[in-house]
């Protein structure tokens, strides 16, 4: 697919998510910056056909766009490399995208941030989850804010659009684990940390 095609894809995905995103000003930033539209188009192409695990079955691309929107709107982050990395953050982990590809298309800094938040899929799932807890305090600040916004989006979805086969115990265990990861990210962005705490409290209440 050529770059012209991704940009067209970005336009349609951004028009669609505008109706659904909870962070509309952040969304506007994604739509306005050419670099972000480009990254959004590439990610939308790579995640095409993938759905979120939740019962809402949203197109997967809504999630990375929301993460970028949270960073822009709540985290007050305007660094375009960090916002591009947010839109691209799951492309290496969940699509056939390589780190070389990200470097050649978006530069070494964007690639490095994405790599920092990419789990090693060769490891067992439980090991990967523990590694996230261990690594959180050692990430760069760019990767820390991205990981925090990712957890805010995921905690919301686990509570309010949960995967169909998840019992409440599993939802609550997810909130506990996400909180342990975020404990290692404290100090990177006060507003995002406050939103995470609020989101976890609301999510626990909703699950009971
Ligand atoms: Zn994610």
């Amino acid at each position: 697919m050529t770059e012209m095609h991704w940009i067209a894809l970005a336009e349609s995905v951004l028009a669609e998510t505008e109706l659904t995103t909870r962070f509309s000003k952040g969304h506007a930033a994604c739509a306005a910056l050419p670099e972000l539209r480009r990254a959004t188009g590439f990610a939308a192409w790579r995640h095409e056909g993938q759905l979120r695990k939740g019962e809402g079955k949203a197109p997967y691309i809504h999630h990375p766009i929301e993460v970028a929107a949270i960073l822009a709107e709540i985290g007050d982050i305007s660094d375009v490399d960090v916002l591009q990395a947010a839109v691209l953050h799951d492309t290496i982990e969940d699509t056939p995208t390589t780190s070389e590809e990200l470097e050649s298309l978006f530069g070494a800094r964007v690639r490095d941030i994405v790599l920092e938040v990419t789990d090693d899929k060769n490891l067992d799932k439980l090991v990967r989850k523990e590694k996230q807890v261990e690594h959180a305090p050692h990430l760069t600040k760019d990767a820390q804010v991205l990981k925090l916004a990712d957890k805010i989006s995921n905690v919301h979805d686990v509570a309010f659009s949960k995967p169909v086969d998840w019992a409440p115990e599993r939802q609550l265990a997810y909130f506990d684990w996400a909180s342990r990861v975020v404990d290692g990210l404290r100090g990177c962005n006060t507003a995002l940390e406050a939103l995470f705490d609020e989101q976890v409290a609301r999510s626990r209440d909703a699950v009971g």
Side-chain angles (χ1 to χ4, degrees), residues 52 60 63 67 89-90 150 154:
R52 290 290 277 166
Y60 196 89
H63 163 68
V67 171
H89 79 270
D90 283 326
D150 188 32
N154 286 338

Side-chain angles (χ1 to χ4, degrees), residues 30-193:
C30 299
L33 294 169
E35 295 92 336
L36 265 184
R37 273 214 308 280
R38 188 166 167 270
T40 301
F42 179 81
W45 167 43
R46 283 301 161 93
H47 288 294
E48 210 162 24
Q50 296 180 351
L51 300 174
R52 290 290 277 166
K53 268 189 285 191
E55 52 208 1
K57 294 278 173 240
Y60 196 89
I61 187 63
H62 289 195
H63 163 68
I65 293 173
E66 178 170 89
V67 171
I70 292 170
L71 287 174
E73 183 165 350
I74 311 296
D76 200 24
I77 285 163
S78 53
D79 183 330
V80 79
D81 283 346
V82 176
L83 297 176
Q84 285 182 97
V87 166
L88 295 163
H89 79 270
D90 283 326
T91 54
I92 293 186
E93 200 169 299
D94 295 331
T95 81
T97 305
T98 63
S99 61
E100 292 76 18
E101 214 171 0
L102 288 191
E103 183 187 358
S104 72
L105 291 167
F106 305 102
R109 182 164 173 240
V110 171
R111 175 208 60 192
D112 287 346
I113 301 169
V114 173
L115 281 178
E116 276 197 90
V117 298
T118 297
D119 281 353
D120 180 354
K121 281 228 166 155
N122 294 317
L123 299 173
D124 174 81
K125 186 152 187 215
L126 281 176
V127 176
R128 272 189 269 148
K129 293 190 99 175
E130 273 318 297
K131 288 234 179 267
Q132 284 203 34
V133 176
E134 276 168 38
H135 289 162
H138 309 292
L139 298 174
T140 61
K141 191 167 174 264
D142 294 336
Q144 285 188 327
V145 289
L146 171 42
K147 189 161 273 287
L148 185 45
D150 188 32
K151 291 289 177 275
I152 292 168
S153 171
N154 286 338
V155 164
H156 174 275
D157 287 359
V158 165
F160 299 103
S161 177
K162 75 175 179 68
V164 267
D165 55 340
W166 281 36
E169 297 70 38
R170 186 158 175 201
Q171 290 172 284
L172 293 170
Y174 185 89
F175 305 148
D176 288 345
W177 168 73
S179 302
R180 287 174 61 219
V181 176
V182 168
D183 281 343
L185 305 169
R186 299 263 171 205
C188 72
N189 186 300
T190 317
L192 291 175
E193 288 160 49

